[in-house]
């Protein structure tokens, strides 16, 4: 195996190394000062992060539009039942799950940003066509296709983040684009409130809402294909800036890009203990997250509020989500820690918020609303899990595989979550609220186990490989984190 040559101090074959090393071999290196690096990072933050935020904002908004459409009369207009509406949320995540590995493979073989942009355009088309849906069959078909195309967004953005930013910089940048979940909630709530004042004999308010955001999404997809670079080597940066962008990522030891699919790295991912710990955290964290994102408006309306009041009362959820995501990302970057921040978020959102929802007096609207709002804090832990994937997985095929595993786990949690809300339990949905608390407790315990694993593995490597000599350019040999004995995990 060519990676064995790397272990013996020899460079792997050209076909096996990272594309960044191939680029550097054909260019003369230049000195980058601290001022140069700060200017470069600022340039990246202003050109790449806004596009990533726009994609994730619309991804979250477009999949939850059906939540707002439901309180605007979707069920009555299309003649679907409450259980059929629950199944619409499930169908999205089933196809999302099914397409994760295929989309991960295509993402490695094709230009990353172009592939992302094409999927944004296609899911925008599906959202637009929702405005013409008249029955269960049409809604189910479009919802299923929406899941297929949205499956690309999170793994693509994780890859893009790891291509451009140091491991210490990644939590904050992932947080900046993931905050699209919060802004999506705010935009969706305000739009829903506004369109509920619209009256027409031709279109219903929810149809206009789907049409508007579908067209906006298609426009953002086109902009993504044009302006988001596929990698530093293929960007619009100057020659010097490209070299700097690559050289500054050597310390990551995770590489930038490799278009060769390596099956041994897939096996490495599936036999890595951290993979299954992260998967379990993601599933249990997203059971309450899936329930809240699909049923938040329904929970609020069940407290006795009108559709218009429900739309306005959904806004604080988005604000809290934004604050939690940005705060978590900045704190994680500041203290170079992910696990402790996740635990704090779960305690606030899942335990405190979940208990308020489940065990408050049904007549105490204030406590129930507070619990509902606090559960939005749980979702702020997901970008930190994305950051784990970006920072602690090396080898391009292994990274792509883990991103798919992470999003499959995300799907499983979001499939289970809405299914806990049954018509038989309305309007209190007590069993579903108890599940929120229970699944959060499991996520808490597993996060502690993951942190312990990282600390023990780093200590083991320090003990087994003391004074290890650095191999020149090994950062770009496309080695996995378990092959590269110089690699140390961030916890």
């Amino acid at each position: 195996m060519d990676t064995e040559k790397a272990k013996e101090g020899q460079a792997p074959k050209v076909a096996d190394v990272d594309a960044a090393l191939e680029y550097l071999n054909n260019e003369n290196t230049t000195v980058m000062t601290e001022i140069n690096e700060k200017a470069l990072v600022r340039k990246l933050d202003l050109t790449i992060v806004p596009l990533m935020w726009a994609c994730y904002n619309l991804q979250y908004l477009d999949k939850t539009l059906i939540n707002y459409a439901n309180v605007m009369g979707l069920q009555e207009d299309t003649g679907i039942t409450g259980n059929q509406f629950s199944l619409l949320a499930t169908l999205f995540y089933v196809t999302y799950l099914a397409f994760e590995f295929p989309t991960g493979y295509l993402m490695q073989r094709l230009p990353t940003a172009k592939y992302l942009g094409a999927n944004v355009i296609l899911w925008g088309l599906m959202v637009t066509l929702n405005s013409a849906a008249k029955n269960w069959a049409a809604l189910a078909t479009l919802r299923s296709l929406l899941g297929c195309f949205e499956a690309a967004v999170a793994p693509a953005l994780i890859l893009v983040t790891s291509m451009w930013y140091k491991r210490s910089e990644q939590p904050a940048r992932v947080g900046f684009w993931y905050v699209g979940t919060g802004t999506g909630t705010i935009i969706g709530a305000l739009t829903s409130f506004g369109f509920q004042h619209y009256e027409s004999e031709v279109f219903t308010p929810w149809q206009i809402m789907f049409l508007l955001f579908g067209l906006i999404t298609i426009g953002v997809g086109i902009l993504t294909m044009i302006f988001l670079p596929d990698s530093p080597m293929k960007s619009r940066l100057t020659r010097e800036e490209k070299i700097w962008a690559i050289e500054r990522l050597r310390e990551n030891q995770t590489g930038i890009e490799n278009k060769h699919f390596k099956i041994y790295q897939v096996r490495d991912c599936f036999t890595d203990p951290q993979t299954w710990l992260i998967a379990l955290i993601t599933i249990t964290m997203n059971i309450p997250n899936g329930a809240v994102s699909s049923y938040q408006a329904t929970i609020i309306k069940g407290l006795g509020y009108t559709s218009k009041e429900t739309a306005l009362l959904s806004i604080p959820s988005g604000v809290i989500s934004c604050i939690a995501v940005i705060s978590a990302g900045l704190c994680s970057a500041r203290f170079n820690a992910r696990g402790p921040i996740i635990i704090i978020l779960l305690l606030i959102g899942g335990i405190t918020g979940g208990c308020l929802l489940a065990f408050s007096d049904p007549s105490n609207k204030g406590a129930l609303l507070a619990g509902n709002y606090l559960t939005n804090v749980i979702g702020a832990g997901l970008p930190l899990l994305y950051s784990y994937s970006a920072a602690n997985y090396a080898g391009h095929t292994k990274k792509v595989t883990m991103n798919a595993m992470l999003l499959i786990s995300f799907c499983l949690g979001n499939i289970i979550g809405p299914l806990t809300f049954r018509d038989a339990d309305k309007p209190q949905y007590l069993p579903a609220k108890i599940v929120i608390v229970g699944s959060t407790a499991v996520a808490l315990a597993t996060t502690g186990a993951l942190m312990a694993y990282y600390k023990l593995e780093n200590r083991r490597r320090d003990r087994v490989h003391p004074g290890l000599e650095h191999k020149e350019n090994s950062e770009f040999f496309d080695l996995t984190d378990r092959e590269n004995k110089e690699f140390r995990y961030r916890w």
Side-chain angles (χ1 to χ4, degrees), residues 256-307:
I256 292 178
E257 183 180 55
N258 188 297
K259 293 300 182 185
H260 300 275
F261 188 82
K262 301 175 181 179
I263 193 67
Y264 87 91
Q265 291 194 7
V266 177
R267 289 195 297 270
D268 191 305
C269 182
F270 285 129
T271 57
D272 195 335
Q274 63 169 330
T275 296
W276 300 104
L277 289 170
I278 291 175
L280 181 57
I281 297 168
T282 308
I283 292 170
T284 51
M285 181 186 292
N286 279 284
I287 289 174
N289 191 51
V292 169
S293 64
S294 295
Y295 274 89
Q296 184 151 248
T298 305
I299 291 171
I300 294 174
K301 192 174 183 181
L303 297 177
Y305 296 103
T306 66
S307 294

Side-chain angles (χ1 to χ4, degrees), residues 68-238:
Y68 300 108
N70 192 40
V71 299
M72 295 165 71
L74 174 73
Q75 285 193 42
E76 295 79 6
D77 294 338
T78 56
I80 65 174
T81 65
N83 286 334
Q84 284 178 321
F85 176 77
S86 296
L87 191 54
L88 286 176
T90 302
L91 283 173
F92 170 86
Y93 287 108
V94 167
T95 53
Y96 194 116
L97 183 155
F99 266 71
E100 276 307 327
F101 280 120
T103 207
Y105 175 78
L106 291 171
M107 201 177 300
Q108 180 169 9
R109 301 292 295 174
L110 301 172
T112 305
K114 302 296 184 295
Y115 181 73
L116 170 62
N119 278 276
V120 174
I121 292 170
L122 288 170
W123 97 54
L125 179 61
M126 297 305 106
V127 173
T128 304
L129 291 175
N130 266 282
S131 62
K134 301 292 185 183
N135 52 44
W136 157 251
L139 288 170
T141 301
L142 291 170
R143 192 73 178 165
S144 299
L145 290 171
L146 183 67
C148 296
F149 300 126
E150 285 203 14
V153 66
L157 296 183
I158 295 170
L159 273 183
V160 171
T161 304
S162 66
M163 282 181 185
W164 291 98
Y165 292 102
K166 294 179 180 179
R167 291 203 287 178
S168 60
E169 298 166 343
Q170 289 168 7
R173 271 64 185 191
V174 173
F176 287 146
W177 56 256
Y178 187 86
V179 80
T181 57
T183 55
T185 300
I186 295 169
I187 293 169
L190 288 172
T191 306
S192 171
F193 177 74
F195 277 126
Q196 286 181 58
H197 292 85
Y198 167 85
E199 294 181 5
S200 170
E201 295 181 359
V202 180
F203 292 107
T204 63
W206 61 265
Q207 286 177 315
I208 293 292
M209 185 173 66
F210 276 122
L211 182 62
L212 172 66
F213 284 111
L215 294 175
I216 290 173
T217 302
I218 291 171
V220 169
I222 293 170
L223 291 175
T224 300
M225 293 191 75
I226 297 172
F227 295 109
L228 188 66
D230 293 307
S231 69
M233 295 78 75
K234 297 176 182 177
S235 66
R236 290 184 172 87
L237 297 176
T238 65

